[in-house]
């Protein structure tokens, strides 16, 4: 079973390469959710300093990355969340060549187990509404749609993000 571990500064280059591969894959599919400002190398560098970046490897191969913390966008204030004390998922990514092989499921499950172990009552995240594959992935793993938000910083026609929450039992 794959587990996650805190990323170290020495993981930064591999994380950046994974991010760039994922960003390129999204762009080729006309999914404009990530750009040069988020996420990027500086973002991951700060998150590593904050001990909020987790990585999943198979041997030496980096399979996936997720940022887990309590930060929530102010746009989320309008959402009717059901649970207190959430852990928030940011920038969950699996290498495009490894997608569809269970790595995303393993990364999500490991994130949930970590959240439970630390006493969180739910996990929250948002996903670009135009990325139907990602939205369906979260729904298929028990995440409930709580509403949507609009991010003005995103390209025109790509501003709506669906907010999801999963209760941790």
């Amino acid at each position: 079973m794959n587990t996650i571990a805190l990323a170290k500064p020495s993981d930064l280059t591999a994380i950046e390469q994974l991010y760039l591969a994922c960003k390129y894959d999204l762009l080729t599919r006309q999914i404009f959710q990530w750009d040069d400002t988020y996420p990027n190398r500086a973002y991951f560098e700060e998150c590593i300093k904050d001990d909020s970046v987790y990585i999943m490897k198979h041997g030496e191969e980096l399979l996936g990355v997720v940022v887990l913390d309590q930060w929530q966008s102010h746009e989320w204030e309008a959402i009717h969340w059901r649970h207190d004390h959430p852990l928030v998922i940011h920038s969950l990514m699996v290498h495009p060549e490894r997608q569809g092989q269970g790595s995303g499921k393993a990364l999500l499950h490991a994130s949930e187990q970590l959240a439970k172990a630390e006493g969180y009552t739910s996990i929250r995240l948002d996903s670009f509404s135009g990325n139907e594959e990602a939205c369906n992935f979260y729904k298929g793993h028990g995440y409930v749609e709580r509403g949507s938000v609009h991010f003005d910083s995103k390209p025109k026609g790509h501003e709506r993000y669906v907010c999801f929450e999963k209760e941790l039992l």
Side-chain angles (χ1 to χ4, degrees):
M1 179 171 156
N2 292 315
T3 59
I4 57 176
L6 273 173
K8 302 179 292 267
S10 59
D11 296 315
L12 185 58
T13 298
I15 291 169
E16 180 182 35
Q17 290 170 347
L18 176 60
Y19 154 70
L20 291 172
C22 290
K23 177 184 161 189
Y24 178 75
D25 179 63
L26 290 168
L27 290 174
T28 61
R29 294 186 289 136
Q30 300 293 301
I31 298 172
F32 302 105
Q33 69 186 53
W34 286 350
D35 55 30
D36 294 333
T37 60
Y38 176 83
N40 59 26
R41 184 181 179 96
Y43 166 77
F44 287 113
E45 190 170 29
E46 282 302 310
C47 291
I48 287 171
K49 287 178 188 173
D50 293 339
D51 288 333
S52 61
V53 179
Y54 292 84
I55 59 173
M56 185 174 61
K57 289 184 172 183
H58 179 74
E60 291 301 309
E61 179 187 6
L62 181 62
L63 298 177
V65 175
V66 64
V67 174
L68 300 169
D69 63 24
Q70 295 181 9
W71 185 84
Q72 298 178 67
S73 172
H74 72 87
E75 285 88 352
W76 286 18
E77 293 171 9
I79 301 298
H80 297 291
W81 302 105
R82 301 286 197 286
H83 305 282
D84 296 344
H85 196 53
L87 187 64
V88 180
I89 290 178
H90 307 278
S91 309
L92 186 144
M93 57 186 153
V94 171
H95 196 284
E97 294 174 2
R98 288 294 202 153
Q99 292 175 7
Q101 299 174 14
S103 296
K105 178 181 178 179
L107 187 57
L108 194 61
H109 181 72
S111 299
E112 293 167 3
Q113 293 306 311
L114 181 112
K116 284 181 191 180
E118 293 186 7
Y120 290 96
T121 58
S122 70
I123 290 192
R124 295 178 184 171
L125 62 96
D126 64 31
S127 184
F128 174 52
S129 62
N131 190 341
E132 289 182 37
E133 191 174 313
C135 290
N136 289 334
F137 171 77
Y138 294 118
K139 288 177 188 175
H141 289 90
Y143 287 75
V144 177
E145 188 175 330
R146 299 291 187 213
S148 64
V149 293
H150 183 94
F151 289 114
D152 292 332
S153 61
K154 299 297 181 179
K156 186 169 175 55
H158 303 272
E159 305 98 340
R160 190 169 88 76
Y161 280 66
V162 180
C163 294
F164 292 97
E165 181 177 41
K166 182 175 183 177
E167 179 180 12
L168 299 174
L169 302 173

